Amino acid sequence: MMIHSMPIHTLDVRSASEGEYRALNDFENRLQAEELPDDPPMPLAEAVQRWRHIPAFVELFHWVIWQPERSAIMAVASAELLQLDTNQHVMECHIAVLPEFRRQGIARALLVPLVELAQRAQRRLLIGFTNERVPA
């Protein structure tokens, strides 16, 4: 088993650069093709609109690991904190790694900033999700 040692970068999806938006959209479309092969890819303009118009009561965090040889993303961790009066103990989170980079400790490395955020925000219940089409 390889141990991941590439840098983890934060990404603000409300104000990312055009290149960051493109890379994130490409990454998410690759994952969607694996999880939902019959669905068409999300157009970049639609994805950017979605990211830029997240309601203010949603705190959204993204951490990315870039592929070293080009400006593409190999893995993402994300967390969502809803600033509401209910469920203040909950944090929704997700970690995804492209298939060719799995089983190298990358997801484990991305778990660290998620857990640190949960502790800082005093969120004791982390909710994630899986897909039956993706064994990883």
Side-chain angles (χ1 to χ4, degrees), residues 2-53:
M2 297 179 73
I3 302 299
H4 170 71
S5 62
M6 299 182 87
I8 298 172
H9 302 276
T10 59
L11 177 64
D12 181 355
V13 297
R14 287 186 168 104
S15 63
S17 71
E18 184 67 29
E20 290 170 329
Y21 279 136
R22 184 173 311 285
L24 186 56
N25 189 57
D26 290 346
F27 175 84
E28 289 190 356
N29 280 332
R30 281 212 44 211
L31 292 175
Q32 179 180 305
E34 184 180 19
E35 296 173 0
L36 303 167
D38 295 331
D39 287 3
M42 168 99 46
L44 177 60
E46 186 177 334
V48 170
Q49 285 296 328
R50 181 175 47 109
W51 289 317
R52 287 184 177 161
H53 293 92

Side-chain angles (χ1 to χ4, degrees), residues 7-11 62-66:
I8 298 172
H9 302 276
T10 59
L11 177 64
H62 280 77
W63 297 269
V64 299
I65 298 176
W66 294 90

Side-chain angles (χ1 to χ4, degrees), residues 51-73:
W51 289 317
R52 287 184 177 161
H53 293 92
I54 298 166
F57 67 86
V58 177
E59 280 190 84
L60 199 57
F61 301 83
H62 280 77
W63 297 269
V64 299
I65 298 176
W66 294 90
Q67 295 181 31
E69 70 278 359
R70 61 182 211 260
S71 59
I73 294 172

Side-chain angles (χ1 to χ4, degrees), residues 66-119:
W66 294 90
Q67 295 181 31
E69 70 278 359
R70 61 182 211 260
S71 59
I73 294 172
M74 71 168 63
V76 172
S78 62
E80 186 176 290
L81 299 174
L82 301 182
Q83 300 303 326
L84 301 171
D85 292 335
T86 60
N87 294 324
Q88 293 181 353
H89 65 293
V90 174
M91 181 173 90
E92 291 187 27
C93 55
H94 183 65
I95 297 175
V97 180
L98 291 179
E100 63 268 28
F101 299 108
R102 293 178 185 154
R103 310 287 305 161
Q104 298 179 42
I106 295 170
R108 185 177 310 125
L110 285 170
L111 186 59
V112 172
L114 286 173
V115 170
E116 290 172 348
L117 174 63
Q119 290 172 335

